[in-house]
Amino acid sequence: MITSIVLIKTDVDRIPEIAERIAALEGVSEVFSVTGAYDLIAMVRVARHDDLAEVIPGRISKVPGVASTETHIAFRTYSQHDLEAAFAIGLDS
């Protein structure tokens, strides 16, 4: 599974509508409304690198109101949830 983080600039008056449209796209797992230089962050999870081209420039960038995107591809995923699960293996209460 390939995970990418897509930073999105949009028409600020339409953030909720644009976020919902992006969240409904195949390959998009979450969309966050955020503060800072970008308006939205989308998490894209696909099986192959070639699929990123279909989802990001092929779908996300074509949503009306999306002004620009910046994509970061994740090498590894680290989360507190994953660490807790790994340390809990083999421990019975």
Side-chain angles (χ1 to χ4, degrees), residues 2 6 11-13 23 26 30-31 37 41 48 52-53 57 59-60 64 69-70 81 83 85-86 88:
I2 298 160
V6 184
D11 293 338
V12 276
D13 294 340
E26 183 178 346
E30 299 99 10
V31 177
I41 296 177
R48 303 172 308 135
L52 290 174
R59 296 186 192 134
I60 292 175
T69 64
E70 182 178 313
H81 179 267
L83 292 173

Side-chain angles (χ1 to χ4, degrees), residues 15-78:
I15 289 174
E17 169 195 339
I18 295 167
E20 288 178 16
R21 290 195 63 184
I22 292 171
L25 297 173
E26 183 178 346
V28 176
S29 58
E30 299 99 10
V31 177
F32 303 94
S33 175
V34 296
T35 61
Y38 293 88
D39 304 303
L40 300 171
I41 296 177
M43 302 301 292
V44 175
R45 293 184 171 87
V46 294
R48 303 172 308 135
H49 282 279
D50 291 343
D51 296 336
L52 290 174
E54 292 178 28
V55 176
I56 300 165
R59 296 186 192 134
I60 292 175
S61 294
K62 292 181 180 176
V63 170
V66 170
S68 66
T69 64
E70 182 178 313
T71 302
H72 298 266
I73 298 173
F75 293 127
R76 292 191 181 115
T77 302
Y78 302 93

